[in-house]
Amino acid sequence: MADKFDVIVIGAGPGGYVAAIRAAQLGLKTACVEKWIGKEGKVVHGGTCLNVGCIPSKALLEASHKFVEAKHDFDDMGIQAGDVSMDVKKMMARKDTIVKNLTGGISGLFKANGVTAIDGTGKVLSKGQVEVTDQDGKATTYDADSIVIAAGSVPVEIPPTPLKEGLVVDSTGALEFQETPKRLGVIGAGVIGLELGSVWNRLGSEVTMLEAMDDFLPMVDTAIAKETQKLLKKQGLDIKLGARVTGSEVKGEEVVVKYTDAKGEQEMTFDKLIVCVGRKPYTKGVVADGAGVELDERGFIQVDDQCRTSLPGVFAIGDCVRGQMLAHKASEEGIMVADIIAGHKAEMNYDAIPCVIYTFPEVAWVGLNEQDAKAKGIEVKTGAFPFAASGRAMANNATEGQAKIIADAETDRVLGMHIVGQHAGEMIAQGVIALEFGSSAEDLALTCYAHPTMSEAVHEAALAVEGHAIHMANRKKKK
Ligand code: FAD
Ligand code: NAD
């Protein structure tokens, strides 16, 4: 007779493993089912985020950024580094070590918190029943009072560019190149395209990005998006907007990509092609037919604001449900759901989820941008401050970018914060807290910031909302 649990979580990505740990911490007998087979042929925890997503990409972004600094920027500071070169294989090995340590760490956290790890493929059979099939094909059925589906997502593939191992790859393949491609094509100038395109551009690839939309980063405040586009172009990323890919052909070690843009039909040849045009929910087979868990037309599991599915006692979180595909969104949903299962009141503020693109400089935002606020009919006032006027940014050799605050014109409440600049991903936490606590721009303006810090730009942007920035000629009249 298989064990009975209070909670069974299917999937050990940042949604599932966090849900399982929280549930166990709250005294619930918890199991977490995972099927991901790691490089060593064994089941590993951590999902997309730890294995092929957030963490490995950031390891490569950090290494490639340090390479650029050592090669081009140290000299300015008087550092004579000599001839700087990059050992790509060593960079990759470091990335793999980080992944191994972190995924192993999750298994350690499961043990420490009393979560039972079950290796295999989970399927919700009915209310309270999960079947797990192990690597040898043996199926076991477990009972649980509550079930959490955290099955994640996989890359979208498009017919014009079928994958070809090592040559036409998705984001997972792009994290495994063992040498720097000379000509790199990237389909999609979204988050993954910009991050992985940056990595290989920094290491010497000629990177061309083909983006179907006419607008660059439309979810970001237009002023910030425009500045980002300019900065990335200066770094050498050739971002072609309004470029619709129509086909591709592998010719030996090269791939020829056909696309149309405003000028007509075009063709480019690359040594490697990364296809990163979005991700889709990975829900195939995770629920038995007729079990009563409804999916929407795009394959997402349908949930309410508290992640309840249509089947009582079954929750779903993270990339396999509506909302932004972000690790921290998945984790917060995991915590909320565990709290609800344990009988606590819990909810999430979906309006205060930060987004970060880890280019250099980083792009980070939370809440509304100016154009969307106006489109909603909200009258806004804004304040912006350029890092060019920040003493710390000068000291850091990072004067590019700006911080911008969008506030309600009538109430002064902060509606959004958008930043492009070094460490924007760290600074955006201030915007998240402002939104969570319903702060006014004046609250931020009246807050004492440490000097010299990059965050002072947020302070100055808050002051600038009323035309009172100290280290900038204000365009608005002082009251
Ligand atoms: P996943 O992490 O996908 O985990 C789902 C898990 O469920 C997997 O381990 C899978 O094997 C398992 N599973 C699925 N079905 C079953 C089954 N039937 N039985 C057992 N197990 C199952 N987000 C950020 O916030 N910041 C970033 O910097 C960032 N960078 C990224 C970079 C890249 C290259 C990519 C691809 C993604 C990145 N993301 C980032 C997105 C982030 O990885 C996802 O939003 C996050 O992993 C979603 O978490 P999840 O738990 O919902 O799903
Ligand atoms: P994305 O949605 O960010 O970008 C995909 C881009 O591809 C879009 O700009 C889209 O217009 C374009 N596109 C779609 N079809 C196309 C086509 N046929 N030809 C040319 N362009 C096309 O998706 P992504 O970059 O693949 O990333 C997937 C998800 O992973 C993101 O939405 C994000 O949630 C998550 N992620 C987050 C981070 C982070 O937080 N730093 C990093 C990587 C990934």
Side-chain angles (χ1 to χ4, degrees):
M1 175 74 181
D3 280 350
K4 178 175 185 302
F5 293 93
D6 296 325
V7 188
I8 293 183
V9 181
I10 300 178
Y17 84 71
V18 169
I21 290 172
R22 177 71 156 211
Q25 285 172 347
L26 295 172
L28 299 168
K29 187 178 175 193
T30 307
C32 187
V33 186
E34 177 55 65
K35 65 173 183 174
W36 192 295
I37 305 295
K39 286 189 172 171
E40 292 172 2
K42 289 190 221 138
V43 168
V44 287
H45 298 125
T48 303
C49 171
L50 266 56
N51 287 289
V52 295
C54 322
I55 299 300
S57 58
K58 268 74 241 178
L60 301 188
L61 279 156
E62 194 60 31
S64 57
H65 178 61
K66 285 202 159 46
F67 171 70
V68 168
E69 282 191 315
K71 204 168 163 79
H72 301 295
D73 304 340
F74 278 11
D75 193 50
D76 268 3
M77 296 183 173
I79 304 167
Q80 304 293 315
D83 266 352
V84 179
S85 61
M86 174 55 95
D87 181 339
V88 173
K89 288 192 173 66
K90 197 163 177 183
M91 174 182 78
M92 289 294 174
R94 171 183 176 269
K95 179 250 315 170
D96 289 342
T97 304
I98 294 167
V99 168
K100 193 175 166 192
N101 288 342
L102 278 172
T103 53
I106 305 298
S107 309
L109 287 173
F110 276 176
K111 279 197 192 108
N113 285 284
V115 174
T116 302
I118 302 177
D119 294 352
T121 303
K123 181 191 265 189
V124 179
L125 294 181
S126 60
K127 180 175 161 23
Q129 278 206 317
V130 174
E131 177 191 78
V132 180
T133 307
D134 69 15
Q135 267 182 283
D136 301 324
K138 183 170 166 266
T140 308
T141 301
Y142 297 88
D143 291 331
D145 292 332
S146 302
I147 298 168
V148 181
I149 304 172
S153 64
V154 288
V156 166
E157 290 178 37
I158 49 172
T161 52
L163 301 189
K164 170 119 177 43
E165 208 188 328
L167 184 56
V168 182
V169 298
D170 58 17
S171 58
T172 302
L175 294 168
E176 295 298 333
F177 294 162
Q178 295 300 314
E179 55 189 38
T180 305
K182 188 166 178 312
R183 298 162 301 174
L184 175 66
V186 178
I187 315 276
V191 192
I192 294 182
L194 293 173
E195 290 188 356
L196 294 181
S198 289
V199 166
W200 296 106
N201 174 54
R202 292 168 189 173
L203 299 185
S205 296
E206 291 158 21
V207 179
T208 306
M209 310 187 69
L210 303 174
E211 165 58 52
M213 281 190 302
D214 294 325
D215 291 335
F216 179 69
L217 295 180
M219 60 290 201
V220 180
D221 190 272
T222 303
I224 305 292
K226 278 206 172 117
E227 184 157 7
T228 305
Q229 189 180 359
K230 206 173 71 195
L231 293 172
L232 295 177
K233 188 175 171 199
K234 206 170 98 189
Q235 290 170 20
L237 285 179
D238 181 8
I239 304 168
K240 296 189 189 300
L241 299 175
R244 284 165 194 79
V245 178
T246 52
S248 66
E249 194 183 341
V250 171
K251 288 187 176 164
E253 297 297 299
E254 299 176 336
V255 54
V256 180
V257 175
K258 293 194 166 81
Y259 64 96
T260 55
D261 63 12
K263 291 186 198 132
E265 288 183 13
Q266 313 284 345
E267 194 177 285
M268 284 191 83
T269 303
F270 302 110
D271 301 302
K272 301 256 187 228
L273 183 67
I274 308 175
V275 183
C276 39
V277 293
R279 294 178 63 83
K280 59 181 181 187
Y282 182 45
T283 43
K284 196 165 173 262
V286 79
V287 179
D289 288 344
V293 175
E294 279 170 28
L295 308 190
D296 70 15
E297 66 288 352
R298 292 185 302 156
F300 288 98
I301 296 175
Q302 280 188 359
V303 288
D304 67 10
D305 284 350
Q306 289 172 312
C307 292
R308 290 184 190 86
T309 70
S310 48
L311 185 62
V314 179
F315 296 78
I317 60 171
D319 279 11
C320 67
V321 303
R322 83 291 175 259
Q324 308 197 62
M325 290 184 163
L326 295 171
H328 42 283
K329 176 260 192 186
S331 298
E332 287 309 309
E333 286 181 334
I335 287 176
M336 171 178 71
V337 159
D339 285 357
I340 291 169
I341 293 170
H344 301 296
K345 284 204 173 103
E347 60 181 30
M348 257 184 82
N349 180 0
Y350 285 95
D351 292 332
I353 297 175
C355 300
V356 183
I357 307 177
Y358 295 84
T359 44
F360 190 89
E362 291 174 354
V363 189
W365 67 98
V366 64
L368 289 177
N369 57 44
E370 187 175 348
Q371 68 270 19
D372 287 350
K374 284 182 175 162
K376 282 175 186 251
I378 304 170
E379 207 185 315
V380 296
K381 50 187 179 176
T382 64
F385 188 79
F387 287 102
S390 151
R392 182 59 191 267
M394 286 179 211
N396 287 6
N397 207 6
T399 50
E400 292 167 329
Q402 59 174 300
K404 177 169 174 179
I405 290 173
I406 296 103
D408 187 292
E410 199 186 329
T411 65
D412 195 40
R413 192 173 174 144
V414 175
L415 301 174
M417 189 182 287
H418 292 241
I419 308 174
V420 54
Q422 186 191 42
H423 306 317
E426 305 292 337
M427 284 183 272
I428 202 64
Q430 299 168 67
V432 178
I433 291 168
L435 288 182
E436 278 290 345
F437 286 77
S439 304
S440 62
E442 189 182 25
D443 288 329
L444 292 176
L446 292 173
T447 300
C448 181
Y449 281 69
H451 175 72
T453 55
M454 296 294 282
S455 290
E456 284 172 301
V458 172
H459 187 215
E460 292 273 13
L463 286 160
V465 169
E466 293 298 340
H468 296 173
I470 302 293
H471 295 93
M472 186 176 68
N474 292 284
R475 274 159 289 157
K476 291 172 194 166
K477 213 172 159 222
K478 287 186 182 179
K479 278 186 188 165

